[in-house]
Amino acid sequence: FLDFCSVEDGRINILYKLKENTQGVIYLKKACDYIDKHFLEEISIPEIAAYVDINKSYLQALFTDKIGCTINHYINQKRLEQAIFLLCNSSFGITDIAFVVGITAAAFFYTFEKFYGLTPSAYRGLHARNMTTDTRNIRYSLENDRDLKGEIM
């Protein structure tokens, strides 16, 4: 088994170039794909295990053994990655972001600081993009449903 999952800069990266194609790895791929598609929803370990069609204890053991983290840790990491995107690229309030990513507000602050060593507000202050709603008197429209066109008003 070689590098199914790595953690870099606080992000979990799934590496699908596997040297070993065991049944356990196939189950992990299927479980990770399911989580990646549904992490913003309320999902549970029994639900994931049922989707993969294996026992939940075996699935948890595979995550711990092959990936090096629990299933809940993996789900929280995915949710926090989405939260970071929203912190940096939106004007949503922090409590709203917690709600959107599926973590209760109280748990969000604790979990975020545990993973990143900063509060969500401090992270936003360091990494947020300067956003403006001013279009500078230009009207934007889409041509052919894909080309952005700007006209001075």
Side-chain angles (χ1 to χ4, degrees):
F1 180 81
L2 178 66
D3 288 330
F4 179 72
C5 179
S6 67
V7 178
E8 297 170 7
D9 298 325
R11 295 183 63 156
I12 295 177
N13 298 309
I14 303 296
L15 305 174
Y16 287 105
K17 296 177 181 174
L18 300 170
K19 298 260 181 187
E20 186 178 322
N21 199 18
T22 65
Q23 190 64 41
V25 171
I26 293 168
Y27 291 143
L28 279 173
K29 281 184 180 180
K30 193 171 179 182
C32 288
D33 287 344
Y34 183 83
I35 292 167
D36 291 348
K37 290 176 185 164
H38 298 279
F39 70 90
L40 292 176
E41 303 165 18
E42 201 172 304
I43 56 175
S44 67
I45 294 170
E47 177 185 339
I48 298 164
Y51 175 80
V52 177
D53 198 26
I54 61 173
N55 178 287
K56 71 177 184 171
S57 298
Y58 179 54
L59 181 61
Q60 289 174 312
L62 283 172
F63 263 82
T64 302
D65 183 47
K66 301 288 188 193
I67 296 179
C69 67
T70 66
I71 297 169
N72 285 328
H73 181 94
Y74 182 84
I75 293 168
N76 281 334
Q77 184 68 37
K78 288 292 183 183
R79 289 175 171 165
L80 289 173
E81 287 173 10
Q82 182 66 25
I84 282 181
F85 175 81
L86 293 172
L87 284 169
C88 295
N89 297 292
S90 79
S91 59
F92 292 149
I94 292 171
T95 304
D96 295 329
I97 291 172
F99 178 76
V100 166
V101 300
I103 302 175
T104 63
F108 178 70
F109 289 98
Y110 172 79
T111 306
F112 193 95
E113 192 165 358
K114 180 180 166 188
F115 272 77
Y116 297 104
L118 295 169
T119 64
S121 300
Y123 191 95
R124 175 177 260 171
L126 289 172
H127 301 285
R129 296 194 175 128
N130 187 13
M131 292 178 279
T132 180
T133 56
D134 181 17
T135 58
R136 297 187 183 102
N137 295 325
I138 299 175
R139 178 185 294 162
Y140 291 97
S141 61
L142 285 176
E143 282 187 349
N144 303 326
D145 293 327
R146 64 173 194 206
D147 299 324
L148 185 63
K149 179 183 175 188
E151 295 176 25
I152 298 174
M153 296 173 51

